[in-house]
Every structure is written in C-alpha cells, then in structure tokens.
Amino acid sequence: MLVRTMPATAVRTQTISAFCFAIGILLAIGTHASADIGVAARQVPAAELVGKGRLTFFGFKVFDAELYAPRGLYRPSGPYALKLTYLRNFKSGDIVSRSAKEIRDQGGVSEQKLEGWTRQMQALFPDVKRGQSITGVHTASGTTEFYHGSRRLGVIRDPEFTKRFFAIWLGKRTSDPHLRARLTGSGS
C-alpha cells in the first residue's frame, strides 16, 4: 500500500497560513472594545470603550473608571455611559457626599438645587463592595440613569444635574484632569 505524504514545506505553509488567518480574525474582532456595561448599553447604541483610568487618593485605589460611547466617540451632549468599578467598600452616604462636594466645587449651582440633587442621589445610590460597579448613563434626552451592576437603580430627569454630575469626571473643571484625559482621550 502506498501512502502519499505532503512535503514538509507544504505542511509548514498551510500551518502558517491557518495561523495568520486566525490572528487576522482575532484582530478584526478585537479592534474595538465592546461595551461592558450590561443592560445600560440599551441607552448607548453601539457602545464601545472610549477610555479608562484609575482614581487614587493619597495612594489608596478608589475606583477604575471606563467611558463608553457610540462607536467609541465621546460627545459631551451624549449619549454615553461612565462605569465606576470600586476597589474598596463604600457606604452610600460617602458616595453621595463626595459627589455633592465635587459638584459644589465646580461652582455655579445654588445650595437649594444641590440639596435637592443630594436627596435624589441618596434615594438611588447603594452601598458598594469592592469589585462592584455603578454605571451612570447620560441618555440622549439629557437625563441620568443609574445602574448597580445589571440592576437599574433609577433616573434623575434634570438635564442640569446630568451636566454637573458627569462634569465631576469629564468636565474642564474636574478635580482630576489626568483621569479626564484618560477617559476622553483628549490629552488635556
């Protein structure tokens, strides 16, 4: 019985071709980071990662932030989603008071309006454990929806709140311009 075998060079050529084809497919699939924002992705069509960064405070890791927008193109008018994955345990009250302080520090908002927003945040924000995330979505209509993991927490319908809240991380007067640059890819 005669068995025909392929020359070694032909086998190597086929193996290399198959390997290159597989790498090409993986690169094509992995060119854009797809949205890792769960059900919040319904509010951000074709959501892709714009940028990410880590907030540290006096050497303590606080959270990892990821910004998602349609086709990975961030526009301040939205829609987009900002996902914060906490690296420590935090009480709801601490998250709310820090958010209110950051909004106050930007200036231009009355204490009465800030108190109203603070009450709304208190009603929505849960305690978080290390590894859990809260995602804020700037909807196309200018409202803010919040999610804890895949669970919808609620909505704040005030467009001014939406602008001020996301400016904590994405505005020109943010307290962490380096994080803003990493999130938006703006370099400033």
Side-chain angles (χ1 to χ4, degrees):
M1 174 181 240
L2 180 61
V3 177
R4 292 184 71 173
T5 58
M6 293 177 65
T9 56
V11 172
R12 270 188 255 129
T13 302
Q14 279 187 331
T15 303
I16 291 170
S17 294
F19 178 76
C20 290
F21 178 76
I23 293 296
I25 293 294
L26 290 174
L27 288 174
I29 292 170
T31 300
H32 297 287
S34 61
D36 182 22
I37 52 175
V39 294
R42 291 183 214 150
Q43 296 295 334
V44 185
E48 294 178 9
L49 183 66
V50 177
K52 60 185 178 177
R54 174 170 285 173
L55 178 71
T56 58
F57 188 71
F58 292 114
F60 292 101
K61 297 173 188 171
V62 180
F63 58 73
D64 286 332
E66 298 170 297
L67 178 63
Y68 293 89
R71 292 170 298 289
L73 303 172
Y74 165 69
R75 288 185 17 237
S77 60
Y80 57 82
L82 182 66
K83 178 181 178 181
L84 305 180
T85 302
Y86 290 87
L87 304 173
R88 312 176 75 71
N89 297 342
F90 285 97
K91 295 284 186 193
S92 167
D94 295 334
I95 296 169
V96 170
S97 63
R98 184 63 187 194
S99 297
K101 178 190 180 319
E102 292 287 334
I103 291 171
R104 179 182 292 111
D105 289 350
Q106 293 174 31
V109 64
S110 72
E111 281 300 313
Q112 180 180 3
K113 185 164 282 253
L114 184 58
E115 287 173 16
W117 293 340
T118 299
R119 284 191 299 278
Q120 290 178 66
M121 288 187 290
Q122 287 169 335
L124 295 176
F125 292 172
D127 295 343
V128 293
K129 294 186 185 315
R130 181 180 179 194
Q132 292 182 328
S133 63
I134 294 179
T135 302
V137 178
H138 182 300
T139 68
S141 63
T143 63
T144 306
E145 289 191 13
F146 292 102
Y147 297 84
H148 181 228
S150 62
R151 183 173 61 93
R152 186 174 185 267
L153 297 171
V155 62
I156 297 179
R157 300 190 188 287
D158 185 340
E160 186 180 356
F161 169 81
T162 298
K163 179 181 174 185
R164 301 286 185 151
F165 180 78
F166 288 104
I168 293 171
W169 302 275
L170 305 173
K172 293 192 184 304
R173 299 181 76 181
T174 180
S175 63
D176 193 336
H178 297 291
L179 178 59
R180 175 184 181 262
R182 288 190 299 273
L183 290 170
T184 64
S186 67
S188 64

CSV table of all heavy atoms in Angstrom, one decimal, residues 50-99:
chain,number,residue,atom,x,y,z
A,50,VAL,N,-14.3,54.2,25.1
A,50,VAL,CA,-13.6,55.4,24.7
A,50,VAL,C,-12.3,55.5,25.4
A,50,VAL,O,-11.2,55.7,24.8
A,50,VAL,CB,-14.4,56.7,25.0
A,50,VAL,CG1,-13.6,58.0,24.7
A,50,VAL,CG2,-15.8,56.7,24.3
A,51,GLY,N,-12.3,55.3,26.7
A,51,GLY,CA,-11.1,55.3,27.5
A,51,GLY,C,-11.3,54.9,29.0
A,51,GLY,O,-12.5,54.7,29.4
A,52,LYS,N,-10.2,54.6,29.7
A,52,LYS,CA,-10.4,54.2,31.1
A,52,LYS,C,-9.2,54.7,31.9
A,52,LYS,O,-8.2,55.1,31.4
A,52,LYS,CB,-10.4,52.7,31.1
A,52,LYS,CG,-9.2,51.9,30.6
A,52,LYS,CD,-9.4,50.4,30.6
A,52,LYS,CE,-8.3,49.7,29.9
A,52,LYS,NZ,-8.4,48.3,30.0
A,53,GLY,N,-9.4,54.7,33.2
A,53,GLY,CA,-8.4,55.2,34.1
A,53,GLY,C,-8.7,54.8,35.5
A,53,GLY,O,-9.8,54.3,35.8
A,54,ARG,N,-7.8,55.0,36.4
A,54,ARG,CA,-8.0,54.7,37.8
A,54,ARG,C,-7.8,55.9,38.7
A,54,ARG,O,-7.0,56.8,38.5
A,54,ARG,CB,-6.9,53.7,38.3
A,54,ARG,CG,-6.9,53.4,39.8
A,54,ARG,CD,-6.1,52.2,40.1
A,54,ARG,NE,-6.7,51.0,39.7
A,54,ARG,CZ,-6.2,49.8,39.7
A,54,ARG,NH1,-5.0,49.6,40.1
A,54,ARG,NH2,-6.9,48.7,39.3
A,55,LEU,N,-8.8,56.1,39.6
A,55,LEU,CA,-8.7,57.2,40.6
A,55,LEU,C,-8.0,56.6,41.9
A,55,LEU,O,-8.4,55.6,42.4
A,55,LEU,CB,-10.1,57.7,41.0
A,55,LEU,CG,-10.1,58.8,42.0
A,55,LEU,CD1,-9.5,60.1,41.4
A,55,LEU,CD2,-11.4,59.0,42.6
A,56,THR,N,-7.0,57.3,42.3
A,56,THR,CA,-6.3,57.0,43.5
A,56,THR,C,-6.4,58.3,44.4
A,56,THR,O,-6.4,59.4,43.9
A,56,THR,CB,-4.8,56.6,43.4
A,56,THR,OG1,-4.1,57.6,42.7
A,56,THR,CG2,-4.8,55.3,42.6
A,57,PHE,N,-6.4,58.1,45.7
A,57,PHE,CA,-6.4,59.3,46.6
A,57,PHE,C,-5.4,59.0,47.7
A,57,PHE,O,-5.6,58.1,48.5
A,57,PHE,CB,-7.9,59.4,47.2
A,57,PHE,CG,-8.1,60.6,48.0
A,57,PHE,CD1,-8.2,61.9,47.4
A,57,PHE,CD2,-8.3,60.5,49.3
A,57,PHE,CE1,-8.4,63.0,48.1
A,57,PHE,CE2,-8.5,61.7,50.1
A,57,PHE,CZ,-8.6,62.9,49.5
A,58,PHE,N,-4.4,59.8,47.8
A,58,PHE,CA,-3.3,59.6,48.7
A,58,PHE,C,-2.8,58.2,48.7
A,58,PHE,O,-2.5,57.6,49.8
A,58,PHE,CB,-3.7,60.0,50.1
A,58,PHE,CG,-4.0,61.5,50.3
A,58,PHE,CD1,-5.2,62.0,50.6
A,58,PHE,CD2,-2.9,62.4,50.2
A,58,PHE,CE1,-5.5,63.3,50.8
A,58,PHE,CE2,-3.1,63.7,50.4
A,58,PHE,CZ,-4.4,64.2,50.6
A,59,GLY,N,-2.6,57.6,47.5
A,59,GLY,CA,-2.1,56.3,47.3
A,59,GLY,C,-3.1,55.2,47.5
A,59,GLY,O,-2.8,54.0,47.2
A,60,PHE,N,-4.3,55.5,47.9
A,60,PHE,CA,-5.3,54.4,48.0
A,60,PHE,C,-6.1,54.3,46.7
A,60,PHE,O,-6.5,55.3,46.1
A,60,PHE,CB,-6.3,54.8,49.1
A,60,PHE,CG,-5.7,54.7,50.5
A,60,PHE,CD1,-5.4,55.9,51.2
A,60,PHE,CD2,-5.6,53.5,51.1
A,60,PHE,CE1,-4.8,55.8,52.4
A,60,PHE,CE2,-5.0,53.4,52.4
A,60,PHE,CZ,-4.6,54.6,53.0
A,61,LYS,N,-6.2,53.1,46.2
A,61,LYS,CA,-7.0,52.9,45.0
A,61,LYS,C,-8.5,53.0,45.3
A,61,LYS,O,-9.0,52.4,46.2
A,61,LYS,CB,-6.7,51.5,44.4
A,61,LYS,CG,-5.3,51.3,44.0
A,61,LYS,CD,-5.1,49.8,43.7
A,61,LYS,CE,-3.6,49.5,43.5
A,61,LYS,NZ,-3.3,48.1,43.3
A,62,VAL,N,-9.2,53.9,44.6
A,62,VAL,CA,-10.6,54.2,44.9
A,62,VAL,C,-11.5,53.5,43.9
A,62,VAL,O,-12.4,52.7,44.3
A,62,VAL,CB,-10.9,55.7,44.8
A,62,VAL,CG1,-12.3,56.0,45.1
A,62,VAL,CG2,-10.0,56.4,45.8
A,63,PHE,N,-11.3,53.7,42.6
A,63,PHE,CA,-12.1,53.0,41.6
A,63,PHE,C,-11.4,53.0,40.2
A,63,PHE,O,-10.6,53.9,40.0
A,63,PHE,CB,-13.6,53.6,41.5
A,63,PHE,CG,-13.6,55.1,41.1
A,63,PHE,CD1,-13.3,55.5,39.8
A,63,PHE,CD2,-14.0,56.0,42.1
A,63,PHE,CE1,-13.4,56.9,39.5
A,63,PHE,CE2,-14.1,57.3,41.8
A,63,PHE,CZ,-13.8,57.8,40.5
A,64,ASP,N,-11.9,52.1,39.4
A,64,ASP,CA,-11.5,52.1,38.0
A,64,ASP,C,-12.7,52.7,37.2
A,64,ASP,O,-13.8,52.3,37.5
A,64,ASP,CB,-11.2,50.7,37.5
A,64,ASP,CG,-9.9,50.2,38.0
A,64,ASP,OD1,-9.0,51.0,38.3
A,64,ASP,OD2,-9.7,49.0,38.1
A,65,ALA,N,-12.4,53.6,36.3
A,65,ALA,CA,-13.5,54.3,35.5
A,65,ALA,C,-13.3,53.9,34.0
A,65,ALA,O,-12.2,53.8,33.5
A,65,ALA,CB,-13.4,55.8,35.7
A,66,GLU,N,-14.5,53.7,33.4
A,66,GLU,CA,-14.5,53.4,32.0
A,66,GLU,C,-15.6,54.2,31.3
A,66,GLU,O,-16.7,54.3,31.9
A,66,GLU,CB,-14.8,51.9,31.7
A,66,GLU,CG,-13.8,50.9,32.3
A,66,GLU,CD,-14.3,49.5,32.2
A,66,GLU,OE1,-15.3,49.2,32.9
A,66,GLU,OE2,-13.6,48.7,31.5
A,67,LEU,N,-15.3,54.9,30.2
A,67,LEU,CA,-16.2,55.7,29.5
A,67,LEU,C,-16.6,55.0,28.2
A,67,LEU,O,-15.7,54.6,27.4
A,67,LEU,CB,-15.6,57.1,29.2
A,67,LEU,CG,-16.5,58.0,28.4
A,67,LEU,CD1,-17.8,58.4,29.2
A,67,LEU,CD2,-15.7,59.3,28.1
A,68,TYR,N,-17.9,54.8,28.0
A,68,TYR,CA,-18.4,54.1,26.7
A,68,TYR,C,-19.3,55.1,26.0
A,68,TYR,O,-20.0,55.9,26.6
A,68,TYR,CB,-19.2,52.9,27.1
A,68,TYR,CG,-18.4,51.8,27.7
A,68,TYR,CD1,-18.2,51.7,29.1
A,68,TYR,CD2,-17.8,50.8,26.9
A,68,TYR,CE1,-17.4,50.7,29.7
A,68,TYR,CE2,-17.1,49.8,27.5
A,68,TYR,CZ,-16.9,49.8,28.8
A,68,TYR,OH,-16.1,48.8,29.4
A,69,ALA,N,-19.1,55.1,24.7
A,69,ALA,CA,-20.0,56.0,23.8
A,69,ALA,C,-20.2,55.3,22.5
A,69,ALA,O,-19.5,54.3,22.1
A,69,ALA,CB,-19.2,57.3,23.6
A,70,PRO,N,-21.2,55.7,21.7
A,70,PRO,CA,-21.5,55.1,20.4
A,70,PRO,C,-20.2,55.1,19.5
A,70,PRO,O,-19.5,56.1,19.4
A,70,PRO,CB,-22.6,56.0,19.8
A,70,PRO,CG,-23.2,56.6,21.0
A,70,PRO,CD,-22.1,56.8,22.0
A,71,ARG,N,-19.9,53.9,19.1
A,71,ARG,CA,-18.7,53.6,18.2
A,71,ARG,C,-17.4,54.2,18.9
A,71,ARG,O,-16.5,54.5,18.2
A,71,ARG,CB,-18.9,54.2,16.8
A,71,ARG,CG,-20.0,53.4,16.1
A,71,ARG,CD,-20.4,54.1,14.8
A,71,ARG,NE,-21.0,55.4,14.9
A,71,ARG,CZ,-22.2,55.7,15.4
A,71,ARG,NH1,-23.0,54.7,15.9
A,71,ARG,NH2,-22.7,56.9,15.5
A,72,GLY,N,-17.4,54.4,20.2
A,72,GLY,CA,-16.2,54.8,20.9
A,72,GLY,C,-15.9,56.3,20.7
A,72,GLY,O,-14.8,56.7,21.0
A,73,LEU,N,-16.9,57.1,20.3
A,73,LEU,CA,-16.7,58.5,20.0
A,73,LEU,C,-17.5,59.3,21.1
A,73,LEU,O,-18.7,59.4,21.0
A,73,LEU,CB,-17.2,58.9,18.6
A,73,LEU,CG,-16.5,58.1,17.5
A,73,LEU,CD1,-17.1,58.4,16.1
A,73,LEU,CD2,-15.0,58.5,17.5
A,74,TYR,N,-16.8,59.9,22.0
A,74,TYR,CA,-17.4,60.6,23.1
A,74,TYR,C,-17.8,62.0,22.6
A,74,TYR,O,-17.0,62.7,22.0
A,74,TYR,CB,-16.4,60.8,24.3
A,74,TYR,CG,-16.7,61.8,25.3
A,74,TYR,CD1,-17.9,61.6,26.1
A,74,TYR,CD2,-16.0,63.0,25.4
A,74,TYR,CE1,-18.2,62.6,27.0
A,74,TYR,CE2,-16.4,63.9,26.3
A,74,TYR,CZ,-17.5,63.7,27.2
A,74,TYR,OH,-17.8,64.7,28.1
A,75,ARG,N,-19.1,62.4,22.9
A,75,ARG,CA,-19.6,63.7,22.7
A,75,ARG,C,-20.2,64.1,24.1
A,75,ARG,O,-21.1,63.4,24.6
A,75,ARG,CB,-20.6,63.7,21.6
A,75,ARG,CG,-20.0,63.5,20.2
A,75,ARG,CD,-21.1,63.7,19.1
A,75,ARG,NE,-22.3,64.3,19.5
A,75,ARG,CZ,-23.5,63.8,19.4
A,75,ARG,NH1,-23.7,62.6,18.9
A,75,ARG,NH2,-24.6,64.5,19.8
A,76,PRO,N,-19.9,65.3,24.6
A,76,PRO,CA,-20.4,65.8,25.9
A,76,PRO,C,-22.0,65.8,25.9
A,76,PRO,O,-22.6,65.6,27.0
A,76,PRO,CB,-19.9,67.2,26.1
A,76,PRO,CG,-18.6,67.1,25.3
A,76,PRO,CD,-18.9,66.3,24.1
A,77,SER,N,-22.6,66.0,24.8
A,77,SER,CA,-24.1,66.0,24.7
A,77,SER,C,-24.7,64.6,24.8
A,77,SER,O,-25.9,64.5,24.9
A,77,SER,CB,-24.5,66.7,23.5
A,77,SER,OG,-24.1,66.0,22.3
A,78,GLY,N,-23.9,63.6,24.8
A,78,GLY,CA,-24.4,62.2,25.0
A,78,GLY,C,-24.9,61.6,23.7
A,78,GLY,O,-24.9,62.2,22.7
A,79,PRO,N,-25.4,60.4,23.8
A,79,PRO,CA,-25.4,59.5,25.0
A,79,PRO,C,-24.0,58.9,25.2
A,79,PRO,O,-23.2,58.8,24.3
A,79,PRO,CB,-26.4,58.4,24.6
A,79,PRO,CG,-26.3,58.3,23.1
A,79,PRO,CD,-26.0,59.7,22.6
A,80,TYR,N,-23.8,58.5,26.5
A,80,TYR,CA,-22.6,57.8,26.9
A,80,TYR,C,-22.8,57.2,28.3
A,80,TYR,O,-23.8,57.6,29.0
A,80,TYR,CB,-21.3,58.7,26.9
A,80,TYR,CG,-21.4,59.9,27.7
A,80,TYR,CD1,-21.2,59.9,29.1
A,80,TYR,CD2,-21.7,61.2,27.1
A,80,TYR,CE1,-21.2,61.1,29.9
A,80,TYR,CE2,-21.8,62.3,27.9
A,80,TYR,CZ,-21.5,62.3,29.2
A,80,TYR,OH,-21.6,63.4,30.0
A,81,ALA,N,-21.9,56.3,28.7
A,81,ALA,CA,-22.0,55.7,30.0
A,81,ALA,C,-20.7,55.7,30.7
A,81,ALA,O,-19.6,55.5,30.0
A,81,ALA,CB,-22.5,54.2,29.8
A,82,LEU,N,-20.7,56.1,31.9
A,82,LEU,CA,-19.5,56.1,32.8
A,82,LEU,C,-19.6,55.0,33.8
A,82,LEU,O,-20.5,55.1,34.7
A,82,LEU,CB,-19.3,57.5,33.4
A,82,LEU,CG,-18.0,57.6,34.2
A,82,LEU,CD1,-16.8,57.5,33.4
A,82,LEU,CD2,-18.0,58.9,35.0
A,83,LYS,N,-18.8,54.0,33.8
A,83,LYS,CA,-18.8,52.9,34.7
A,83,LYS,C,-17.7,53.0,35.7
A,83,LYS,O,-16.5,53.2,35.4
A,83,LYS,CB,-18.7,51.6,34.0
A,83,LYS,CG,-18.7,50.3,34.8
A,83,LYS,CD,-18.5,49.1,34.0
A,83,LYS,CE,-18.5,47.8,34.8
A,83,LYS,NZ,-18.3,46.6,34.0
A,84,LEU,N,-18.1,53.0,37.0
A,84,LEU,CA,-17.1,53.1,38.1
A,84,LEU,C,-17.1,51.8,38.8
A,84,LEU,O,-18.1,51.4,39.4
A,84,LEU,CB,-17.4,54.2,39.1
A,84,LEU,CG,-17.6,55.6,38.5
A,84,LEU,CD1,-17.9,56.6,39.6
A,84,LEU,CD2,-16.3,56.0,37.7
A,85,THR,N,-16.0,51.1,38.8
A,85,THR,CA,-15.8,49.8,39.5
A,85,THR,C,-15.0,50.1,40.7
A,85,THR,O,-13.8,50.4,40.6
A,85,THR,CB,-15.2,48.7,38.6
A,85,THR,OG1,-16.0,48.6,37.4
A,85,THR,CG2,-15.1,47.4,39.3
A,86,TYR,N,-15.6,49.9,41.9
A,86,TYR,CA,-15.0,50.3,43.1
A,86,TYR,C,-13.9,49.3,43.6
A,86,TYR,O,-14.1,48.1,43.5
A,86,TYR,CB,-16.1,50.5,44.2
A,86,TYR,CG,-16.9,51.7,43.9
A,86,TYR,CD1,-18.0,51.7,43.1
A,86,TYR,CD2,-16.5,53.0,44.4
A,86,TYR,CE1,-18.7,52.8,42.7
A,86,TYR,CE2,-17.2,54.1,44.1
A,86,TYR,CZ,-18.3,54.0,43.2
A,86,TYR,OH,-19.0,55.2,42.9
A,87,LEU,N,-12.8,49.8,44.1
A,87,LEU,CA,-11.7,49.0,44.6
A,87,LEU,C,-11.7,48.9,46.1
A,87,LEU,O,-10.7,48.4,46.6
A,87,LEU,CB,-10.4,49.6,44.0
A,87,LEU,CG,-10.4,49.7,42.4
A,87,LEU,CD1,-9.2,50.4,41.9
A,87,LEU,CD2,-10.5,48.3,41.8
A,88,ARG,N,-12.7,49.5,46.7
A,88,ARG,CA,-12.8,49.5,48.2
A,88,ARG,C,-14.3,49.4,48.5
A,88,ARG,O,-15.1,49.7,47.6
A,88,ARG,CB,-12.2,50.7,48.8
A,88,ARG,CG,-10.8,51.1,48.4
A,88,ARG,CD,-10.4,52.4,49.0
A,88,ARG,NE,-10.0,52.3,50.3
A,88,ARG,CZ,-8.9,51.7,50.8
A,88,ARG,NH1,-8.1,51.1,49.9
A,88,ARG,NH2,-8.6,51.6,52.0
A,89,ASN,N,-14.7,49.1,49.7
A,89,ASN,CA,-16.0,49.2,50.1
A,89,ASN,C,-16.4,50.6,50.5
A,89,ASN,O,-15.6,51.3,51.1
A,89,ASN,CB,-16.3,48.3,51.4
A,89,ASN,CG,-16.0,46.8,51.1
A,89,ASN,OD1,-16.0,46.4,50.0
A,89,ASN,ND2,-15.8,46.1,52.2
A,90,PHE,N,-17.6,51.1,50.0
A,90,PHE,CA,-18.0,52.4,50.3
A,90,PHE,C,-19.5,52.4,50.7
A,90,PHE,O,-20.3,51.7,50.1
A,90,PHE,CB,-17.9,53.4,49.1
A,90,PHE,CG,-16.5,53.8,48.9
A,90,PHE,CD1,-15.7,53.1,47.9
A,90,PHE,CD2,-15.9,54.8,49.6
A,90,PHE,CE1,-14.4,53.5,47.6
A,90,PHE,CE2,-14.6,55.2,49.3
A,90,PHE,CZ,-13.8,54.5,48.4
A,91,LYS,N,-19.8,53.2,51.7
A,91,LYS,CA,-21.2,53.4,52.1
A,91,LYS,C,-21.8,54.4,51.1
A,91,LYS,O,-21.2,55.3,50.6
A,91,LYS,CB,-21.3,54.0,53.5
A,91,LYS,CG,-20.8,53.1,54.6
A,91,LYS,CD,-21.8,52.0,54.8
A,91,LYS,CE,-21.3,51.2,56.0
A,91,LYS,NZ,-22.1,50.0,56.1
A,92,SER,N,-23.1,54.3,50.9
A,92,SER,CA,-23.9,55.1,50.0
A,92,SER,C,-23.7,56.6,50.4
A,92,SER,O,-23.5,57.4,49.5
A,92,SER,CB,-25.4,54.8,50.2
A,92,SER,OG,-26.2,55.7,49.6
A,93,GLY,N,-23.8,56.9,51.7
A,93,GLY,CA,-23.6,58.3,52.1
A,93,GLY,C,-22.3,58.9,51.7
A,93,GLY,O,-22.2,60.1,51.4
A,94,ASP,N,-21.2,58.1,51.8
A,94,ASP,CA,-19.9,58.6,51.4
A,94,ASP,C,-19.9,58.9,49.9
A,94,ASP,O,-19.3,59.9,49.5
A,94,ASP,CB,-18.8,57.6,51.7
A,94,ASP,CG,-18.7,57.3,53.2
A,94,ASP,OD1,-19.0,58.3,54.0
A,94,ASP,OD2,-18.2,56.2,53.6
A,95,ILE,N,-20.5,58.1,49.1
A,95,ILE,CA,-20.5,58.3,47.6
A,95,ILE,C,-21.3,59.6,47.3
A,95,ILE,O,-20.9,60.4,46.5
A,95,ILE,CB,-21.1,57.1,46.9
A,95,ILE,CG1,-20.2,55.9,47.1
A,95,ILE,CG2,-21.3,57.4,45.4
A,95,ILE,CD1,-20.8,54.6,46.6
A,96,VAL,N,-22.5,59.7,48.0
A,96,VAL,CA,-23.3,60.9,47.8
A,96,VAL,C,-22.7,62.2,48.2
A,96,VAL,O,-22.6,63.1,47.5
A,96,VAL,CB,-24.7,60.7,48.5
A,96,VAL,CG1,-25.5,62.0,48.5
A,96,VAL,CG2,-25.5,59.5,47.9
A,97,SER,N,-22.1,62.1,49.4
A,97,SER,CA,-21.5,63.4,49.9
A,97,SER,C,-20.3,63.8,49.1
A,97,SER,O,-20.0,65.0,48.8
A,97,SER,CB,-21.1,63.3,51.4
A,97,SER,OG,-20.1,62.3,51.6
A,98,ARG,N,-19.5,62.8,48.6
A,98,ARG,CA,-18.3,63.2,47.7
A,98,ARG,C,-18.8,63.7,46.4
A,98,ARG,O,-18.3,64.7,45.8
A,98,ARG,CB,-17.4,61.9,47.5
A,98,ARG,CG,-16.2,62.2,46.7
A,98,ARG,CD,-15.3,63.2,47.4
A,98,ARG,NE,-14.2,63.6,46.6
A,98,ARG,CZ,-13.2,64.3,47.0
A,98,ARG,NH1,-13.0,64.5,48.3
A,98,ARG,NH2,-12.2,64.6,46.2
A,99,SER,N,-19.9,63.1,45.8
A,99,SER,CA,-20.4,63.6,44.6
A,99,SER,C,-21.0,65.0,44.7
A,99,SER,O,-20.7,65.9,43.9
A,99,SER,CB,-21.6,62.7,44.1
A,99,SER,OG,-21.1,61.4,43.8
